[in-house]
Amino acid sequence: MFYYSRDRKGEHPQRHLASYAGLFQADAFDGYRQLYLSDRSPGPIVEAGCWVHARRPFFAMADLEENARRQAAGKRAIILSPIAIEVVRRIDALFDIERTINGKPAEERRTVRQELSKPLVEALEVYMGEQRAKLSRGHDLAKAIDYILKRWAAFTLFLDDGRVCLSNNAAERALRGIALGRKSWLFCGSDRGGERAAAMYSLIITAKMNDVDPQAWLADVLARIAMYPAHRLDELLPWNWTPKASATTAAAA
């Protein structure tokens, strides 16, 4: 589901999620802070940290392949950090475990994480704490480490709750089209246009997530929906949809 807002003020996600309680996985945008208050109504929202966001600044200081490309092109090499390289290696080990349990039931994921991931996470906390003590406050590595350690409960929630993913990459990928085509979205022209665009994008991405061609689905649904029985509209949802030609053939058979 996509929602439109004209700026990045925290009041917008607070309004969008006003009736929601449950898990929420995102980056550490300050506008989300009010969502995590314990006395929030209608109930608490529990923050789940994204390990891809956490890894990103370390990766920038540990990109061996990028350094090799720069050197081959005669460009100045990036100064690589042994600490960053080690943190990336340890986080990548967590993702290796996740690949073996993707799509598994939540309880099975939790069991595997307790057995395999938890010792790695505990060791990572110790390692980062030791390295952080050696760094000045303004050091880029210190900021990257603090980002994780100050939100440790959110980053370790996945160990105890199998529903939580290690990252919110799925949402990030869905947003990529908007980010890449940002200038094209100027045609919205107004807040009302932005809200309509968000609604359309929700439909398009939902179709993609269900392995349905969005253009074919929209064209078919728009052609049929006016005359379609209201009590059967759920048949046109992307996960239930059958193209008109296929539906006609099946009915004749």
Side-chain angles (χ1 to χ4, degrees), residues 52-183:
V52 166
H53 279 95
R55 182 180 61 177
R56 197 165 291 158
F58 294 103
F59 195 84
M61 294 179 273
D63 195 341
L64 299 174
E65 293 183 3
E66 174 62 19
N67 240 9
R69 286 192 292 268
R70 293 178 68 89
Q71 290 175 339
K75 298 180 181 179
R76 180 182 298 178
I78 303 168
I79 299 177
L80 300 180
S81 164
I83 297 174
I85 292 173
E86 178 62 16
V87 171
V88 169
R89 184 191 69 79
R90 290 175 182 242
I91 294 177
D92 283 351
L94 296 176
F95 279 98
D96 287 341
I97 296 171
E98 286 300 300
R99 291 186 186 97
T100 68
I101 56 176
N102 281 343
K104 302 291 185 181
E107 186 55 32
E108 183 177 340
R109 283 152 59 99
R110 192 194 72 82
T111 299
V112 172
R113 289 166 175 174
Q114 287 289 314
E115 180 182 353
L116 301 179
S117 302
K118 188 173 183 177
L120 301 184
V121 170
E122 291 174 344
L124 175 61
E125 181 185 20
V126 173
Y127 178 77
M128 289 194 299
E130 292 173 347
Q131 303 309 315
R132 177 63 182 86
K134 304 173 186 177
L135 300 168
S136 63
R137 181 183 302 176
H139 197 290
D140 287 342
L141 268 175
K143 295 176 183 177
I145 291 173
D146 286 345
Y147 179 89
I148 300 177
L149 293 182
K150 289 181 178 180
R151 301 170 179 82
W152 193 243
F155 279 107
T156 56
L157 182 64
F158 81 102
L159 296 173
D160 298 308
D161 192 331
R163 298 172 299 167
V164 178
C165 293
L166 204 58
S167 78
N168 63 343
N169 267 356
E172 293 281 325
R173 286 192 296 270
L175 282 167
R176 185 172 297 155
I178 294 177
L180 293 176
R182 188 161 312 196
K183 291 183 179 179

Side-chain angles (χ1 to χ4, degrees), residues 8-14 17 24 26-40 43-47 150-151:
R8 285 179 54 80
K9 293 180 180 178
E11 64 192 54
H12 302 301
Q14 292 164 31
L17 298 172
F24 185 76
D27 59 17
F29 171 50
D30 193 59
Y32 297 145
R33 186 179 302 175
Q34 294 294 318
L35 297 174
Y36 306 134
L37 297 178
S38 59
D39 59 349
R40 177 185 174 275
I45 288 182
V46 181
E47 180 185 12
K150 289 181 178 180
R151 301 170 179 82

Side-chain angles (χ1 to χ4, degrees), residues 13-29:
Q14 292 164 31
R15 184 179 72 254
H16 297 328
L17 298 172
S19 61
Y20 176 73
L23 297 172
F24 185 76
Q25 187 164 35
D27 59 17
F29 171 50

